[in-house]
């Protein structure tokens, strides 16, 4: 019998309505469990562990990522797979972060949650949770190995790579998308795994890295953006890297202020990463004149990384004792399938 550890961090799935304010707030895990008696009927040895104080995922911090990784590492040998119940709001950040923290995985870590609380009649939480558990328990009959050996997100019949997806809807059950990488599996009558898309590590053992930098900033371009207000972000004493969400294939206005901020930041040792605001496609420096400056001064193209993966990858890389050149090299290399090679 397969053994799965269910880790409850919080999120809508386990929330209940505050009778006074009508707001949804996190509740303890017994509440989720009581509403899914089917869990006892799965032919799986299921154990659960809960954050002492379940949270709305908007409250997630790097400290929570560390706790989550620690729970998985401490239980890694004892279980065949892990299911993490997490709010959908920041799920793509946490799944990206975990994919960088825990490299060399041979077992699945499946994130799921729901748009409606488990106590509501039309909840999507039941199907999401039960299928996520089945995916975490799935193994190849010939080799005995887990089918999924990476961090993934399961939501509304689709399994996505954890560092490739984003939350795209606040109210549809289909809340996630992975525009730059195809789904890893589709759940219909059967769960169909797309085997050639599944990540396989080249590492021989699990490695864990739990330190993060919190000196990474993000700027999203918009017409009329007052660049002078951002000057403290382009200061090497405040940040190690700035991610710029640019237009289309990585374009920005030819602002003398922006160019001066970027040039001096990079020459002082800062790193600038260019991510597109588009949900699909990738950055191509030099495709238009409006991105030629970036190439000239050494801004790094994030290729087809999502913003979530770009930010967590930089937080992760700068959390290690790497030189700037080493960070530059790793940021442009796919470490765990997060970007096109
Ligand atoms: N606000 C909730 C959270 O992210 C939404 C959800 O669970 O889907 O925790």
């Amino acid at each position: 019998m397969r053994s799965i550890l269910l880790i409850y961090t919080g999120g809508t799935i386990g929330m209940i309505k505050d009778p006074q304010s009508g707001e949804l707030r996190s509740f303890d895990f017994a509440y989720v469990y009581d509403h899914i008696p089917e869990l006892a009927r799965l032919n799986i040895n299921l154990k659960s562990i809960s954050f002492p104080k379940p949270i709305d995922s908007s409250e997630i911090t790097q400290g929570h990522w560390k706790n989550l990784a620690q729970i998985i590492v401490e239980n890694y040998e004892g279980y065949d797979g892990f299911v993490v119940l997490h709010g959908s709001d920041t799920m793509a950040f946490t799944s990206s972060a975990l994919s960088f923290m825990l490299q060399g995985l041979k077992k699945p870590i499946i994130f799921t949650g729901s748009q409606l609380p488990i106590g509501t009649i039309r909840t999507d939480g039941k199907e999401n949770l039960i299928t996520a558990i089945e995916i975490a328990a799935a193994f190849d009959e010939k080799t005995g190995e887990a089918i999924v050996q990476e961090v993934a997100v399961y939501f509304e019949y689709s399994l996505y790579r954890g560092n490739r997806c984003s939350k795209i809807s606040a109210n549809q059950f289909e809340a996630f998308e992975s525009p730059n990488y195809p789904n890893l599996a589709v759940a219909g009558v059967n769960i169909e795994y797309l085997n050639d898309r599944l990540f396989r590590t080249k590492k021989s053992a699990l490695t864990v890295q739990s330190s993060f930098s919190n000196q990474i900033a993000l700027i999203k371009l918009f017409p009329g953006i007052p660049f002078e207000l951002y000057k403290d972000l382009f200061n090497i004493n405040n940040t190690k890297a700035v991610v710029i969400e640019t237009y289309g294939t990585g374009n920005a206005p030819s602002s003398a202020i922006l160019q001066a901020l970027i040039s001096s930041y990079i020459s002082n040792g800062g790193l600038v990463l260019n991510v597109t605001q588009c949900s699909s496609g990738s950055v191509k420096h030099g495709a238009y004149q409006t991105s030629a400056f970036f190439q000239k001064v050494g801004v790094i193209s994030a290729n087809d990384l999502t913003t979530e993966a770009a930010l967590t990858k930089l937080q992760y890389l700068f959390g290690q004792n790497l030189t700037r050149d080493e960070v530059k090299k790793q940021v442009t290399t796919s470490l765990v399938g997060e970007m096109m090679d």
Side-chain angles (χ1 to χ4, degrees):
M1 203 194 271
R2 305 290 278 179
S3 293
I4 302 299
L5 183 64
L6 192 54
I7 307 167
Y8 178 61
T9 69
T12 299
I13 195 162
M15 288 186 179
I16 51 173
K17 241 190 199 144
D18 186 292
Q20 256 102 57
S21 63
E23 290 161 0
L24 285 171
R25 61 175 166 77
S26 294
F27 205 66
D28 69 58
F29 187 56
Y31 180 75
V32 177
Y33 233 89
D34 290 351
H35 278 84
I36 319 189
E38 293 89 338
L39 291 179
R41 289 187 7 232
L42 290 169
N43 194 22
I44 288 167
N45 175 21
L46 196 61
K47 292 274 179 321
S48 62
I49 188 164
S50 172
F51 272 15
K53 191 176 173 294
I55 52 166
D56 183 299
S57 76
S58 313
E59 312 273 11
I60 207 92
T61 62
Q62 296 170 342
H64 292 110
W65 293 343
K66 196 172 168 171
N67 294 344
L68 195 49
Q70 200 176 340
I71 293 173
I72 293 170
V73 169
E74 279 168 7
N75 291 284
Y76 192 71
E77 290 310 323
Y79 291 88
D80 297 304
F82 302 84
V83 172
V84 182
L85 281 173
H86 190 290
S88 61
D89 288 351
T90 60
M91 191 181 286
F93 289 93
T94 305
S95 57
S96 296
L98 266 282
S99 76
F100 298 123
M101 294 169 86
L102 300 173
Q103 295 189 32
L105 282 174
K106 301 290 282 174
K107 300 183 180 185
I109 300 177
I110 312 295
F111 280 75
T112 196
S114 69
Q115 294 280 56
L116 282 177
I118 202 79
T120 51
I121 292 175
R122 291 180 55 248
T123 185
D124 51 331
K126 236 181 214 192
E127 192 282 326
N128 282 348
L129 177 54
I130 291 170
T131 307
I133 293 170
E134 286 197 357
I135 291 171
F139 67 103
D140 183 317
E141 305 267 350
K142 279 196 221 118
T143 62
E145 283 197 358
I147 293 183
V148 178
Q149 301 182 13
E150 60 183 291
V151 179
V153 166
Y154 178 76
F155 232 86
E156 195 64 6
Y157 308 116
S158 292
L159 185 73
Y160 310 99
R161 175 161 298 158
N163 52 35
R164 287 289 201 153
C165 61
S166 299
K167 182 169 179 180
I168 49 98
S169 175
N171 54 356
Q172 301 289 319
F173 285 146
E174 218 165 15
F176 286 83
E177 243 177 34
S178 169
N180 281 336
Y181 195 77
N183 297 358
L184 306 180
V186 179
V189 173
N190 297 309
I191 301 171
E192 190 195 338
Y193 294 93
L194 290 313
N195 290 326
D196 55 333
R197 299 172 184 173
L198 297 169
F199 184 75
R200 288 295 182 260
T201 185
K202 292 192 177 73
K203 296 193 183 237
S204 54
L206 180 68
T207 58
V208 190
Q209 205 295 111
S210 294
S211 316
F212 285 96
S213 168
N214 58 8
Q215 291 183 287
I216 311 299
L218 169 68
I219 299 174
K220 181 172 184 147
L221 296 187
F222 58 92
I225 181 170
F227 287 116
E228 58 284 359
L229 299 185
Y230 293 83
K231 83 175 185 310
D232 284 349
L233 298 183
F234 290 102
N235 178 338
I236 195 67
N237 298 317
N238 300 335
T239 61
K240 295 203 183 306
V242 177
V243 177
I244 310 189
E245 260 197 18
T246 55
Y247 308 127
T249 52
N251 307 313
S254 320
S255 150
I257 302 173
L258 176 66
Q259 297 191 352
L261 286 173
I262 292 180
S263 304
S264 74
Y265 183 62
I266 292 178
S267 53
N268 288 332
L271 195 147
V272 180
L273 186 66
N274 185 356
V275 173
T276 175
Q277 300 184 0
C278 295
S279 53
S280 72
S282 59
V283 168
K284 286 193 180 59
H285 281 164
Y288 290 84
Q289 200 183 22
T290 41
S291 68
F293 166 77
F294 288 150
Q295 200 166 23
K296 202 170 95 207
V297 292
V299 168
I300 299 168
S301 161
N303 198 344
D304 63 346
L305 278 180
T306 61
T307 299
E308 294 89 330
L311 288 167
T312 52
K313 188 172 181 180
L314 285 171
Q315 291 177 329
Y316 158 80
L317 291 174
F318 277 108
Q320 302 180 60
N321 287 327
L322 301 174
T323 61
R324 192 174 74 125
D325 282 347
E326 192 53 35
V327 171
K328 260 173 118 173
K329 198 169 137 213
Q330 294 207 29
V331 95
T332 49
T333 309
S334 176
L335 305 178
V336 276
E338 73 279 12
M339 65 200 290
M340 201 161 48
D341 278 317

